[in-house]
Amino acid sequence: MHVPVGVKVGLFAVAVMGSYSYFANSIPQIESKPPQELSLEGGNVTPAQLVKAGEEIFHTKGTCEICHRIGQPGTRAPDLAGAGGRAAKRKPGMSAKAYLIESLLQPQAYVVEGYPPIMPAVDKPPIALNRSEVWALTAFLESLGGTVDVTLNDIPASVGAAAAGGGAAEFKIPGDPQAGAQVFQGKGTCIACHKAGKIGASPVGPDLSQIAKIQTPDYIMGKILNPAGMGTVAGFPKGVMPQDFGTRLTSKEYVDLVSFLLTLK
Amino acid sequence: MSIVTAARRSAYAGVLLAAVLTLVFLALPAEAQQAAAREPAYRAFPLLGSRLAVWAVAQLHLNFAAFILGVPIFAVIIEIIGWRTRDARYDWLSHEFVKLTFAAFSTTALLGAFLLFLFVGYYPKFWTYMSSIFFPTYWVYALLFFAETFTVYLWYYGWDWLSGSRKWIHVSLGVLSNLFGTAILVVANSWVTFMMSPSGIDDSGALKGGVWAAIHNPTWIPINIHRLIANIVFGGTIAGAYAAFRFLSAKTDEERARYDWMGYIGNFVALSAFIVLPFAGYYLGREIYAFNQTMGITMMGGFMSWLWIIQAILIGILFLGSNYYLWLGMERIPGAERYRKYVPPMLIILTVGFMVWATPRSMVVTLDEARAMGGTHHPLLGFFGVMSAKNTVVNLMILTTFLSYILYRRANRISTRSWVRTGMAIQWAAFAVAAVVVVFYGVYGYFVESIVRIGFSVYQVVAVLAAIVVVMAIDVPLFKGARSTGTIRWGTIAPHSQYVLILLAVTFTWLMGLMGFARSGIRQHWHVYGVLRDTSVDAATPALGYAANVITSVTLVFFALVMFIFWIGGLGEKGKETAHGHAPAPVLAGGSDQDV
Amino acid sequence: MRFLRSRFLQAVAIFVLAFVVLRFGIRPPAPWSVLSLYMFIITLALLIFVSSDRDSWRDFVRPIWLTLTDPRYRGLRSVIVVLVPLLFGYYAYTQAAAKPQGPPELRAVHPAPPASIQFRGKEINISGVENPLRKDAAAFGKHVAAGHDTYIRNCVYCHGDNLDGKGHFAYGFNPPPANFQDPGTIAMLQEAYLFWRIAKGGPGLPKESTPWNSVMPAWEERLTEEQIWQVIMFLYDFTGQQPRRWEAGEHASH
């Protein structure tokens, strides 16, 4: 059988280039996408676009993946596979949409059993998503096993105001921070385990030097009164913090202490 | 006769059509600027999408342009050799090379016009902006193009007319056409490099001073050098592949001998230029880093890091392939058996060098492997991932390839000089010193800070180049008038060696496509980096797999076109076999005493 | 020992030897992707080795040819005819069978930094900036000591007291914390690059470093600009590494 030279050479060239193509396709493929500035308010957005934008936020700005995984239970937070479908059954009488928005904006309102209540509100620093981004993120979570029906009007207009303003929302508490510092070092014995700015150095409990920046007043107040119920920061031993501050401290001392802690930024 | 005339006429028509199209579009920008407000920023090319259309046509145009600019450079050198030595074989070979160029000339022009049409039609905003900066250069380009066309026509058709005592005019025409060709390349490069590293403009993107500042942007000179050298390599490999094709389909021994020799010269040209190409590429890379650190890291360490592994594999194949071809070629030289024993050690150096060079910095690892390695950074192989190791091995591979060539040169020669032992000892010493310097600075590079290490690569390069110069300076007189152990049996080379030539051409063309993707891709979502943003649907830079598929498809189209054009070119040859004196190939290894 | 001179056996022996050395000789084991790349190159080189001259090629092909055609090797031939499809089948099985393992990741070791970052509302250039604290040579010791302090308070838990990435928590993380003692890490980078990585942490990684599973916190909220520069000075001082300097001309306008 005589094969023409052109055919042989052609097949050879195809084989060579095919193997180059094959190799290039065999490594993980990364596309370089142009950066996007997300503002969806006012425009017409399809649910598909919204979900895509939300997924992007989930992976990037939202930093959700540090604790949450999809299709894999994390040690710090629940698996989000099927979250959109499950959300409707979490709280009786609450729609999936409302539950998801609540869990993003007020994470401590309902904490899934077996996990510590450590999630920060996504519209506050350091994550500080704006209203559009919360909208998109909700849509993405709904798309995980549910139907996407969230509209921008579902997201409270106040969302993201803190982020836009550049700091935490103004929060006034009628206490004396200086007296609170004395409580921290003295009667409260907090200093035995915690560090707060220049005061204290013990590494037993988490460093509180910037607690006001990373946690809400609600969390701080709750944690003092009910340490076990508020969960334990990852990496620290459980059940070390005394349970009896609510009975040992006077209400003035308690309010002073909280207002002191809120100065720690 | 009719077919010959038809082919010629179509070549004329093609070039004329391209010229007319170019002029029409040159006149456009002024109006286009007025119309800019009404015009959309982009239009969508049907079916393929605008990006793919521009990509494919640009790459095809570049392939053809590189070929017709690269081949005349060595064609004229070969012609000069033939002229000075009065050896008709070289004149025939030079004519053969120019014939290939000539056949591809009108296709290049047509593709260029088509590319222009795509830009104007589908990227109007981009084109308007480019015209606002570079409009004066368009005229220069058009004039150079006409000058180039006429000189090459005169050069090709005046071959017989300007022979004998008028040969010097003919050679000057060849040189002149090369000057015009290089000037065209340099002008086109200014547009491309401006897109990567814009300069001479203010914050709004408007030209600050003259157009010269925009032309003379940071990457312009390095790209000029890099492309010029690469064009020669490319021309050499394509000419080699053409010869291989003719060799494989040859009917007579005489024809086989002739194309065997042509393939050898093509490979020799490619190899000689290829050896310096890594240095030019390194210079270009440095200028990109100097222009913009982010762009540099995106290119080398970030998004594109794996592209360089593929590049390393391709270059490794080119190194192995060209050495293999030389070794196979030694079989047709009586007396070359003496040097067979050098093949395994050289092969080992090339293989180990290839492996080190292809070791990725960012490895593809599964989760378990990453855990076993303690991260994505391998504690041992990580050492091979950095520039120190890669510079070292590439220099060693170049030295080895040069050694292959030296052995090939002396394959059938025994020197009759009295100082033969001293001479050879100095040659080996030069190789050894260069290798030691390269390895020393490669290893030492791990112990110094980066900025010092970058300087080391210069010492390594200088050591290798010095060794090449010293060895050649001794080799030429050493084997002048040497005793021959037998004539080269041209045409008796193993047929699979011809597939190696084709492999080299295919690989190099593919590599050019890949590097084009890299050069264009590092701009990411910018038409003109940092100035004019790409807001089209194609703003994302595609992943490697997609790029590879496009490159493969375009390269296939390129070779199909080339084969068709060469076939047409071959038609004209029939019936006038003896027009340019098909003398048998020369008898000594390495081309001739003059050493091409 | 005549069979040792057979090209075919030589080639097979070299192939097997190379595989054993590369597979078991490199500790910790090289990733499969790299190993297969190496073996591909070696296969290519072996093919060149056996075919670089005609005698050698004939020598190489003869045993293959004999096995395929000679009546004496009928038994061996049958075994091969059965074995080869089985091997292909096994390969197809290994490729198709689901494995309890994530797909391979391609993670850029040194992702490209942005040209500038927002640090507490202030823009800091990453491209071309020097460590401002190094200008005052007299205060060098003071800054390093302060950086040491900051390091022990914040970083030691993951990056370890020997700066080798083996802190208490290191074993729980994938990817593990960076090992600063390794000459392939901070010694290859400018100080500004480190500033970016410390300030923006895992959440600030660009696209090519997907998936974003680095637990490196974004320290910009907790450390001041000065503290970050101090800790960078400490990293280099303690490990004895030198930061990569900017080349002249790198302070480009873009």
Side-chain angles (χ1 to χ4, degrees), chain B residues 519-577:
Chain B
R519 187 195 50 67
S520 184
I522 52 171
R523 283 184 281 123
Q524 299 197 300
H525 52 278
W526 298 94
H527 290 313
V528 179
Y529 195 74
V531 178
L532 186 67
R533 205 183 147 129
D534 184 350
T535 53
S536 70
V537 285
D538 297 321
T541 314
L544 259 179
Y546 175 84
N549 295 344
V550 173
I551 294 164
T552 297
S553 315
V554 175
T555 311
L556 279 174
V557 172
F558 171 69
F559 277 104
L561 278 176
V562 163
M563 271 171 108
F564 176 67
I565 291 168
F566 286 177
W567 174 70
I568 289 185
L571 286 180
E573 195 184 282
K574 286 191 177 139
K576 46 169 197 163
E577 280 292 321

Side-chain angles (χ1 to χ4, degrees), chain A residues 224-236:
Chain A
I224 296 172
L225 297 178
N226 180 14
M230 300 297 283
T232 306
V233 175
F236 290 95

Side-chain angles (χ1 to χ4, degrees), chain A residues 5-10 12-14 16-18 20-25 27-37, chain B residues 245 248 303 306 310 313-314 317 364 499 502-503 506-507 510 524-525 533 539-545 548-549 552 555-556:
Chain A
V5 175
V7 174
K8 279 199 272 190
V9 168
F12 177 71
V14 169
V16 169
M17 285 188 273
Y20 296 156
S21 259
Y22 171 80
F23 182 73
N25 279 287
I27 52 177
Q29 300 293 304
I30 308 172
E31 219 183 43
S32 164
K33 294 200 188 70
Q36 281 180 345
E37 289 113 45
Chain B
F245 188 81
L248 290 171
F303 165 63
W306 257 82
I310 299 184
I313 292 174
L314 295 175
I317 288 176
V364 177
Y499 283 93
I502 290 163
L503 171 79
V506 167
T507 305
W510 207 89
Q524 299 197 300
H525 52 278
R533 205 183 147 129
T541 314
L544 259 179
N549 295 344
T552 297
T555 311
L556 279 174

Side-chain angles (χ1 to χ4, degrees), chain A:
Chain A
M1 190 183 69
H2 179 72
V3 184
V5 175
V7 174
K8 279 199 272 190
V9 168
L11 286 179
F12 177 71
V14 169
V16 169
M17 285 188 273
S19 57
Y20 296 156
S21 259
Y22 171 80
F23 182 73
N25 279 287
S26 72
I27 52 177
Q29 300 293 304
I30 308 172
E31 219 183 43
S32 164
K33 294 200 188 70
Q36 281 180 345
E37 289 113 45
L38 187 63
S39 178
L40 305 165
E41 297 179 38
N44 285 324
V45 197
T46 66
Q49 286 172 326
L50 204 56
V51 168
K52 198 159 168 281
E55 186 174 3
E56 185 73 20
I57 293 165
F58 183 84
H59 293 309
T60 54
K61 191 176 175 189
T63 65
C64 315
E65 277 188 321
I66 290 175
C67 300
H68 288 283
R69 285 302 159 99
I70 298 174
Q72 177 191 344
T75 50
R76 283 176 269 183
D79 177 8
L80 292 181
R86 221 165 35 237
K89 298 170 207 127
R90 281 284 193 218
K91 273 175 135 178
M94 201 165 189
S95 70
K97 179 167 69 182
Y99 172 76
L100 286 173
I101 295 171
E102 185 197 74
S103 60
L104 287 174
L105 302 181
Q106 292 133 23
Q108 316 309 348
Y110 179 92
V111 177
V112 176
E113 206 178 319
Y115 292 98
I118 54 170
M119 177 162 158
V122 299
D123 63 328
K124 304 261 164 30
I127 301 176
L129 300 183
N130 68 26
R131 198 165 168 228
S132 294
E133 288 163 337
V134 173
W135 180 29
L137 189 55
T138 311
F140 170 63
L141 292 174
E142 281 189 324
S143 76
L144 299 171
T147 45
V148 179
D149 58 352
V150 62
T151 63
L152 184 58
N153 293 333
D154 293 326
I155 313 294
S158 61
V159 163
E170 196 68 7
F171 187 86
K172 284 253 190 294
I173 194 164
D176 175 4
Q178 278 172 357
Q182 293 307 315
V183 177
F184 188 88
Q185 299 174 57
K187 187 173 174 190
T189 64
C190 316
I191 196 171
C193 299
H194 291 288
K195 174 179 177 325
K198 294 191 191 73
I199 311 169
S202 171
V204 175
D207 183 351
L208 302 180
S209 302
Q210 301 201 312
I211 190 71
K213 191 170 260 171
I214 52 177
Q215 276 302 356
T216 58
D218 285 8
Y219 173 86
I220 294 172
M221 295 168 87
K223 178 75 186 177
I224 296 172
L225 297 178
N226 180 14
M230 300 297 283
T232 306
V233 175
F236 290 95
K238 280 192 173 59
V240 172
M241 185 153 163
Q243 296 284 343
D244 59 352
F245 287 119
T247 55
R248 281 205 291 123
L249 296 178
T250 67
S251 14
K252 176 166 187 331
E253 285 164 341
Y254 173 64
V255 173
D256 287 346
L257 179 60
V258 171
S259 58
F260 164 67
L261 292 173
L262 287 176
T263 63
L264 298 173
K265 289 182 182 173

Side-chain angles (χ1 to χ4, degrees), chain B residues 234-258:
Chain B
F234 181 67
T237 59
I238 296 289
Y242 168 77
F245 188 81
R246 297 295 298 262
F247 177 96
L248 290 171
S249 40
K251 299 277 187 297
T252 64
D253 284 347
E254 194 268 323
E255 208 181 340
R256 218 166 279 135
R258 194 154 16 100

